Amino acid sequence: MSTATATTARISSTSPVRLSNRLGLWFAHAYVVGLCGTLAGAYFFQFGLWEYPCPMCLLQRMFFLLSAVGPAWIIARSRKGEVTTRAWASGWGWAIMAALIGSVVSATQVLMHIVPPDPGYAGALFGLHLYTWALIAFLGAAVAAAAALFLTPRAEPLNATAASPLLRKAATFTLAVITVFAASNLVACFLLEGINWQLSGDPTSYQFFTDLGL
Amino acid sequence: MYTLLFLLILLCVMAVLRDWPARARSLLWAGTLAATAIAFLPHVITHTFHIAL
């Protein structure tokens, strides 16, 4: 172990948990729940307004989930003891990487529909299509994750969960939320794609039920 | 194909919940991210954006 790493480990294990450390972990919870919230909005359009997501929409959902996996790992680690600086940085670094790639996907879909008279794909929310909101959300997520990294000296959670029953309950809730959204997206995608390798660029039905003759 | 990618993502979440060893978890995460990015590429390559650059 290098001197710098040893120093960091020694400081972490002896430092008392302050409010800023607890807020850092709450921020990870907010990040995961917030990204799952955007997926809930997509579900409203899919199941509430009966609009079918295109392949690009599904790809953006994947990157939302992948970006949330990093902070979810930080939360999971916090239930087992102290979150090291290495784990904190690794989780947020992953979140930034997935969010930036997701933003490229969203920006590509914006460019696909930007030339008039293209009306854009599917419905709009407050005048912006969902892929435009997704681009804003991805960029916001990347900035938020980068801020968490920048604030590491104050915000790394240390042993915050061990000292807080509320954070322990929140960890169970947040990890359940991301699991539910990952599993439900898998089921929804399977129903949309059916037993096929390709998904239509502009789906008009749930292929699984169509293939069954329903 | 997209169903398989969502299955991989669910596995990534399970790796978090089950606290997989760092090496296996990192490989799974990186592989899933790479596969998802590769699935995106055909949309860019085959599309004409009608923009004169």
Side-chain angles (χ1 to χ4, degrees), chain A residues 2 46 50 53 61 69 74 83 98-99 111 116 140 150-151 161 172 188 212:
Chain A
S2 70
Q46 182 175 354
W50 217 242
R61 291 186 191 186
V69 161
I74 292 171
V83 178
L111 290 176
F150 174 69
L151 294 171
T161 298
T172 304
L212 288 178

Side-chain angles (χ1 to χ4, degrees), chain B residues 1-46:
Chain B
M1 175 176 65
Y2 295 101
T3 307
L4 291 178
L5 290 173
F6 274 117
L7 184 62
L8 280 173
I9 291 170
L10 182 60
L11 267 179
C12 289
V13 174
M14 297 312 294
V16 167
L17 297 179
R18 310 289 292 181
D19 198 17
W20 284 20
R23 187 179 179 82
R25 180 181 50 77
S26 300
L27 277 174
L28 177 64
W29 285 16
T32 303
L33 190 70
T36 311
I38 290 168
F40 160 65
L41 290 181
H43 296 280
V44 187
I45 294 168
T46 59

Side-chain angles (χ1 to χ4, degrees), chain A residues 186-201:
Chain A
L186 170 63
V187 173
C189 182
F190 173 69
L191 295 179
L192 196 66
E193 193 173 31
I195 315 289
N196 300 289
W197 183 251
Q198 294 282 354
L199 173 66
S200 165

Side-chain angles (χ1 to χ4, degrees), chain A residues 35-109:
Chain A
L35 290 192
C36 289
T38 62
L39 295 175
Y43 278 177
F44 173 74
F45 274 77
Q46 182 175 354
F47 300 113
L49 304 180
W50 217 242
E51 291 184 358
Y52 299 97
C54 65
M56 292 282 281
C57 305
L58 292 180
L59 282 168
Q60 287 161 72
R61 291 186 191 186
M62 290 176 201
F63 284 110
F64 276 125
L65 282 169
L66 283 169
S67 185
V69 161
W73 181 61
I74 292 171
I75 293 165
R77 288 297 298 261
S78 75
R79 294 199 302 181
K80 298 181 182 299
E82 180 169 327
V83 178
T84 61
T85 306
R86 186 181 297 183
W88 171 262
S90 174
W92 284 116
W94 173 266
I96 293 171
M97 187 164 57
L100 287 181
I101 300 175
S103 72
V104 171
V105 178
S106 298
T108 302
Q109 196 170 9

Side-chain angles (χ1 to χ4, degrees), chain A residues 135-159:
Chain A
L135 174 60
I136 294 167
F138 275 126
L139 293 177
V143 170
L149 267 184
F150 174 69
L151 294 171
T152 295
R154 289 180 180 276
E156 62 176 333
L158 305 176
N159 265 322

